[in-house]
Amino acid sequence: MSVQGKLSSHAHLFVTTAFIALMVTSASAQDVATAPEDDVGDGSAIIVTGVRGQARTITDSPAPIDVIGGEKFDHTGAAELGDALGRLLPSFNFGANQAGVNSISRPVSNRGLGPAYTLVLVNSKRRHNSSILTNGGGDTSGANVVDFDLIPTSAIAQVEVLKDSAAAQYGSDAIAGVVNVQLKEDVGLGGDVQYGELGDVDGDPKSWRARLHYGTRIGDGGFLFVSGDIRKRGLAYWNTPAADTNLYSLPSGRTVQQVATATGRTVAQVQADVAAANALNAQWNRDGAHNGDPQIKAFNLSYNAGLPVGDGLELYSFGTYGKRLAEIGNNFRRPNSDSNFSALFPDGYYPLNNTRDIDFQVVGGLKGNVGVWNFDLSSSFGRNENHQYSKLTIRPSLGPTSPTDWPDLATFEFRQWTHNLDVTREFDIGLAKPLQFSFGAEYRLDRFRTFAGAPLAWQQSSYTFQPGDQQFDWRVGQVAATVVQGAVVLTPGDEVDTTRRVYAGYLDLGINPTENWYVGLAGRFEHYSDGSGNPLALKINSRYDISDAVAIRGTAGTGFRAPSLTQIAFAQTDGRTSSVYNPLTGRNESQPSVAKLVSPTSTVGQLLGAQPLKSEHSWNAGLGVVLQPFSRANITVDGYYIKIKDRIARTSRLSGTGVTAILVANGLPEIQQVEYFINAVDSRTYGVDVVADYRLDLGNVGKLGLTAAFNYNNTKVTDVIGLPSQLRDANGNSILGVGTAFFGGDKIGELEDLLPRTKVVLSANWTKGIVGLYLGATRYGSYWNRTAANNDDRYFSPKWISDITLSAKPTDWLTVEAGATNIFNVRPDLNGVGSTATTSGFSYGTAPYHPGGSYYFGRLAFAF
């Protein structure tokens, strides 16, 4: 189908659903029920994040905070929580990975910092981490962060986003802020179904989701809320045609004479084969990659419960369970490559990455009052397991009888067991308001393990191409590729089992010297059993209300982040193709590669300059103003500054004749490229958040909520680690290959330039009776995709993304919605660094928004 045909068919879906919604509206006008108002930025929303003790509203908060109601996520059309947050919050960006296993664990950046610097809570309790490290979408730091997509959206009452360092209050990894997901306690039965399609992609553009929830009261004041959702997304891709059309012809670097000599044929016979191959090339559609959205099949379950057990006491528990199956596309393996046999795939193949995630967390606790003391005692256990396999790939070194189905390639597991005691009370010490005194303790046990795949996937093997293995026998006498194609494979040497115990205690004081002046003081001490450090984080924040319409607030503090267990111990063998700089052509070219990610303390790492990781230290400050110029209007402006020392990052892929010589000399000839994590840079980040909302009662015309938000963010690398002595020759020069750097411009660019410096989010939500209309527009500022040698940097221009949702509520229990995200089919610029083998040499780069263009959806929801 043509692009125009695709767009028109999806527009027809949108118009048809909208027409049905309006028809239902007209037919049921007598059953007037007000649609829920847009609550983003509503200053009256109650918050629990960032303060202890007395409840506060957004406009009363001493620190900047955003609150997003659960229904707001429905307007975005997003099935995953992380994607929705990226669309709604100006300081958040959700990385759009487009290739390999990294398409699943997608990072959320906050205030220009990676996901490792934002703490995620559920019902104010720490959420466990994923077992997969981040390695794409603008973040290759290797931290194993929280997977937002495994938190069911059907269970969310609201999300509170504290845009302020809270390391001294909640934990050392809250340097950029805190995301606190509050679960529902509603009563009644409800649910929805949603179907949608991408407008201009190849593959399978369809997606659907179904959700169901039920809440009831238990006893006198107790509650139980259960929910579940199931969803499916197709494998879709949008790559540009490959410029290198040499699909069947001679492999690069091999001559006619070499083929004739290897096969015992005449030069004339080989030349005739070349002519026949060229004729086949002309028929190829140049589909060089299936990189884009992976296929997802997932379901999530959750519960939230509370039960009073006496005067002022309540037992509570909540938990989530999720399972996710993914099928991920890859770069094309050509018929004449060293990764293929004609008996298996005569026309080449696209390897598949398949993954299975199983994730759960259970929290239980007792909270309430004992005399004048309020306490909360809880225990939480979470586990995430990721299993890697492939339903379609081969290991060429096993020859033409290689299996094409690989059920066991690698398994990763992360466990976290956390115990908390939080205590708070008020003391009347003669000030304008009582002193808020809080203290607490935490014990956390983290464990990270990896498990090797089946022996056939990693045991040593070698195969030399024989006559008849490939059409035209271009590679007779050459060695086949070594590893399972497109796969992450763990060997017994890669396996790791590491644990860490963290002990913490904190003290938090809230003081009001006068009626209009609040001062918060917090300190937190932590001890890491693995020697990562014994940090003391401190924070002071204050707010002064000049009048009912104007207040100023500010904060200053220190932070600390220990290396994640994945950064310390993770290791893997990567069998994907790599983009390698070819000095003869001056371009990056796609080549099969055996690359190892090794731990900093491994033998290979030490040979190439790795060092044991140190903890990161940070300092932050913020200053802001809160304005309420008139009724129903709120404006906040908050500036921030964050400085991080010894920031952990991933090296470039280290290769070249000098590196090869070191590896061969130490009995490691099979490795071609090596990476590891290192304390690479110092950085500073500064910026400003502006949020304004205004609510109007238009009388007979309805109600209108307007929100405008803006973020400016600038990150600069202030110091970079030097080239290790192991990677220098006797004259002090680098032994790395041409176009390769230890920590080059591409890595610095990931920190400085790969995210937009500006982002604007505008929304309008209009309701009248049973009809609602939501309009949203987001402007993503410009960004750069830097390269290692700075010889091919690419610029991406600013883009506006526009969304619309039309809703009708014909009865008290039914809502009909039709919507479109990115309705004008805006795509990133086609000027990213690419490979001529898989694309035309240009790609969409690492976009901060979904690069697949327009998405049209319809939704039916019910609630009793």
Side-chain angles (χ1 to χ4, degrees):
M1 181 182 292
S2 68
V3 171
Q4 183 178 359
K6 289 179 180 179
L7 289 173
S8 62
S9 66
H10 292 88
H12 178 72
L13 168 68
F14 169 71
V15 172
T16 300
T17 310
F19 179 73
I20 293 172
L22 289 175
M23 289 297 291
V24 172
T25 300
S26 300
S28 306
Q30 68 274 16
D31 297 322
V32 176
T34 303
E37 291 189 31
D38 179 1
D39 62 356
V40 172
D42 182 0
S44 63
I46 301 299
I47 60 171
V48 298
T49 310
V51 292
R52 289 187 167 95
Q54 182 181 3
R56 291 179 179 266
T57 65
I58 296 175
T59 53
D60 292 336
S61 174
I65 190 167
D66 288 326
V67 177
I68 305 173
E71 67 276 5
K72 179 68 174 178
F73 297 118
D74 297 331
H75 295 321
T76 68
E80 297 98 358
L81 175 58
D83 191 6
L85 288 173
R87 297 185 193 185
L88 294 170
L89 297 174
S91 60
F92 268 63
N93 285 291
F94 192 53
N97 293 330
Q98 301 178 51
V101 68
N102 303 311
S103 301
I104 301 303
S105 181
R106 299 197 289 169
V108 173
S109 67
N110 181 16
R111 288 187 160 183
L113 298 176
Y117 302 98
T118 296
L119 176 63
V120 180
L121 309 174
V122 176
N123 277 1
S124 302
K125 304 300 179 184
R126 177 182 286 268
R127 177 74 176 181
H128 68 283
N129 301 65
S130 169
S131 59
I132 296 296
L133 76 169
T134 57
N135 183 32
D139 187 284
T140 59
S141 65
N144 57 319
V145 298
V146 172
D147 192 332
F148 278 97
D149 294 349
L150 292 171
I151 301 174
T153 56
S154 58
I156 298 174
Q158 68 180 31
V159 176
E160 302 176 4
V161 181
L162 179 65
K163 299 178 295 184
D164 191 28
S165 177
Q169 295 172 287
Y170 294 104
S172 59
D173 45 359
I175 292 172
V178 178
V179 175
N180 190 5
V181 179
Q182 296 291 316
L183 302 181
K184 292 179 180 177
E185 301 178 8
D186 300 347
V187 174
L189 176 67
D192 66 0
V193 291
Q194 178 175 303
Y195 173 84
E197 294 189 17
L198 291 166
D200 181 16
V201 297
D202 296 310
D204 182 2
K206 299 183 291 296
S207 64
W208 60 266
R209 179 190 71 190
R211 305 186 299 182
L212 186 67
H213 58 80
Y214 175 72
T216 185
R217 296 301 176 198
I218 299 176
D220 185 12
F223 69 93
L224 172 65
F225 185 89
V226 294
S227 66
D229 57 57
I230 184 170
R231 57 189 172 93
K232 181 181 184 296
R233 182 179 70 194
L235 194 159
Y237 42 93
W238 42 86
N239 303 287
T240 54
D244 180 0
T245 60
N246 182 19
L247 187 64
Y248 295 95
S249 302
L250 279 172
S252 175
R254 202 162 211 214
T255 66
V256 169
Q257 182 62 58
Q258 288 173 329
V259 174
T261 301
T263 59
R265 306 169 75 188
T266 67
V267 170
Q269 288 174 321
V270 176
Q271 288 175 334
D273 287 343
V274 170
N278 286 335
L280 291 174
N281 286 338
Q283 303 173 24
W284 184 39
N285 65 0
R286 297 196 293 157
D287 182 8
H290 284 177
N291 296 327
D293 279 343
Q295 181 192 90
I296 298 290
K297 298 178 180 178
F299 74 89
N300 294 309
L301 302 172
S302 72
Y303 76 92
N304 188 25
L307 181 66
V309 291
D311 290 340
L313 297 179
E314 180 187 39
L315 283 172
Y316 65 89
S317 181
F318 59 91
T320 63
Y321 174 86
K323 183 176 182 179
R324 179 177 61 199
L325 302 176
E327 188 168 284
I328 308 161
N330 261 289
N331 293 341
F332 186 51
R333 267 46 171 190
R334 299 181 173 220
N336 67 355
S337 71
D338 64 356
S339 305
N340 187 51
F341 298 93
S342 294
L344 296 175
F345 302 104
D347 297 315
Y349 63 101
Y350 303 89
L352 292 177
N353 288 107
N354 293 93
T355 68
R356 182 191 69 230
D357 281 285
I358 296 178
D359 182 276
F360 71 87
Q361 182 167 8
V362 177
V363 180
L366 176 67
K367 64 182 179 180
N369 299 313
V370 177
V372 296
W373 295 93
N374 181 278
F375 76 95
D376 187 339
L377 178 65
S378 66
S379 182
S380 169
F381 180 79
R383 175 179 178 269
N384 177 269
E385 179 191 89
N386 178 277
H387 179 67
Q388 303 268 331
Y389 61 104
S390 177
K391 292 184 177 180
L392 194 156
T393 192
I394 66 172
R395 187 181 183 193
S397 60
L398 297 177
T401 60
S402 167
T404 59
D405 188 300
W406 296 81
D408 185 16
L409 296 173
T411 302
F412 312 95
E413 182 194 68
F414 181 81
R415 299 186 180 200
Q416 189 173 81
W417 194 10
T418 307
H419 310 282
N420 285 97
L421 173 63
D422 299 289
V423 180
T424 185
R425 67 159 294 180
E426 293 181 347
F427 287 96
D428 189 351
I429 58 174
L431 297 178
K433 295 180 181 179
L435 166 73
Q436 190 70 48
F437 174 75
S438 304
F439 68 91
E442 178 178 285
Y443 166 75
R444 188 172 82 244
L445 174 64
D446 296 340
R447 185 180 188 185
F448 174 65
R449 294 192 294 175
T450 63
F451 303 87
L456 194 63
W458 51 262
Q459 284 179 338
Q460 185 173 356
S461 64
S462 180
Y463 184 84
T464 302
F465 282 98
Q466 304 296 316
D469 282 343
Q470 289 183 341
Q471 188 178 13
F472 308 124
D473 286 336
W474 297 137
R475 291 189 178 272
V476 169
Q478 292 188 334
V479 176
T482 304
V483 297
V484 180
Q485 292 300 290
V488 171
V489 176
L490 293 189
T491 71
D494 294 328
E495 287 185 329
V496 64
D497 184 354
T498 183
T499 60
R500 176 164 64 196
R501 293 171 173 81
V502 183
Y503 306 86
Y506 74 86
L507 180 66
D508 196 339
L509 301 176
I511 306 168
N512 281 88
T514 69
E515 187 70 27
N516 297 330
W517 184 19
Y518 169 84
V519 178
L521 302 171
R524 185 182 181 94
F525 175 79
E526 296 183 342
H527 168 72
Y528 288 77
S529 64
D530 63 351
S532 292
N534 303 293
L536 174 63
L538 301 172
K539 178 180 179 178
I540 177 172
N541 76 303
S542 184
R543 173 184 170 124
Y544 185 77
D545 288 272
I546 299 173
S547 68
D548 291 341
V550 181
I552 57 174
R553 58 192 180 190
T555 185
T558 62
F560 168 97
R561 195 188 76 82
S564 72
L565 294 183
T566 47
Q567 291 172 326
I568 292 172
F570 188 85
Q572 72 174 43
T573 301
D574 192 337
R576 294 176 293 160
T577 57
S578 291
S579 183
V580 178
Y581 179 74
N582 185 339
L584 299 178
T585 64
R587 290 190 289 189
N588 291 320
E589 296 182 355
S590 181
Q591 297 180 6
S593 172
V594 177
K596 294 281 287 187
L597 172 60
V598 300
S599 70
T601 56
S602 66
T603 299
V604 175
Q606 295 291 302
L607 288 171
L608 300 180
Q611 304 171 10
L613 294 177
K614 299 181 293 185
S615 296
E616 303 173 349
H617 294 265
S618 66
W619 183 88
N620 70 279
L623 182 64
V625 60
V626 180
L627 304 173
Q628 292 180 283
F630 44 87
S631 176
R632 300 191 177 186
N634 301 286
I635 302 172
T636 60
V637 181
D638 291 279
Y640 55 90
Y641 179 91
I642 305 170
K643 184 177 180 180
I644 304 177
K645 182 176 175 58
D646 295 324
R647 191 165 172 178
I648 299 170
R650 187 172 182 154
T651 68
S652 301
R653 285 193 168 183
L654 310 178
S655 63
T657 55
V659 171
T660 300
I662 294 175
L663 296 173
V664 170
N666 287 273
L668 301 165
E670 73 280 1
I671 304 175
Q672 296 164 338
Q673 298 180 352
V674 174
E675 302 167 278
Y676 52 79
F677 298 108
I678 194 165
N679 294 98
V681 302
D682 297 343
S683 71
R684 73 169 190 268
T685 298
Y686 60 89
V688 62
D689 286 315
V690 181
V691 179
D693 70 273
Y694 182 46
R695 299 175 177 278
L696 298 92
D697 189 340
L698 304 177
N700 294 333
V701 183
K703 296 182 179 181
L704 179 65
L706 300 174
T707 300
F710 168 79
N711 173 259
Y712 170 79
N713 188 85
N714 189 316
T715 295
K716 288 293 182 183
V717 171
T718 57
D719 191 28
V720 182
I721 190 171
L723 184 69
S725 59
Q726 294 89 335
L727 299 179
R728 298 178 183 270
D729 60 19
N731 297 319
N733 299 317
S734 171
I735 64 172
L736 298 175
V738 176
T740 303
F742 176 66
F743 195 83
D746 56 336
K747 296 298 181 180
I748 294 174
E750 286 181 4
L751 302 176
E752 291 188 343
D753 302 313
L754 199 54
L755 292 172
R757 292 198 176 177
T758 61
K759 183 178 176 183
V760 178
V761 179
L762 306 175
S763 68
N765 193 56
W766 172 79
T767 60
K768 177 175 171 53
I770 64 174
V771 180
L773 177 65
Y774 169 82
L775 299 174
T778 303
R779 182 189 185 275
Y780 295 88
S782 61
Y783 58 99
W784 284 83
N785 190 341
R786 305 291 186 183
T787 55
N790 298 320
N791 63 342
D792 200 13
D793 293 347
R794 304 299 176 94
Y795 170 78
F796 292 82
S797 62
K799 301 292 183 182
W800 279 97
I801 308 296
S802 303
D803 307 329
I804 182 172
T805 302
L806 177 64
S807 63
K809 193 173 178 64
T811 71
D812 289 340
W813 58 271
L814 178 65
T815 300
V816 184
E817 281 189 341
T821 63
N822 196 355
I823 194 168
F824 298 113
N825 198 38
V826 175
R827 311 294 274 271
D829 298 334
L830 274 172
N831 63 351
V833 180
S835 162
T836 58
T838 57
T839 73
S840 64
F842 300 94
S843 71
Y844 292 113
T846 305
Y849 51 91
H850 193 281
S854 300
Y855 175 74
Y856 303 87
F857 66 93
R859 176 174 170 265
L860 293 174
F862 68 92
F864 297 100

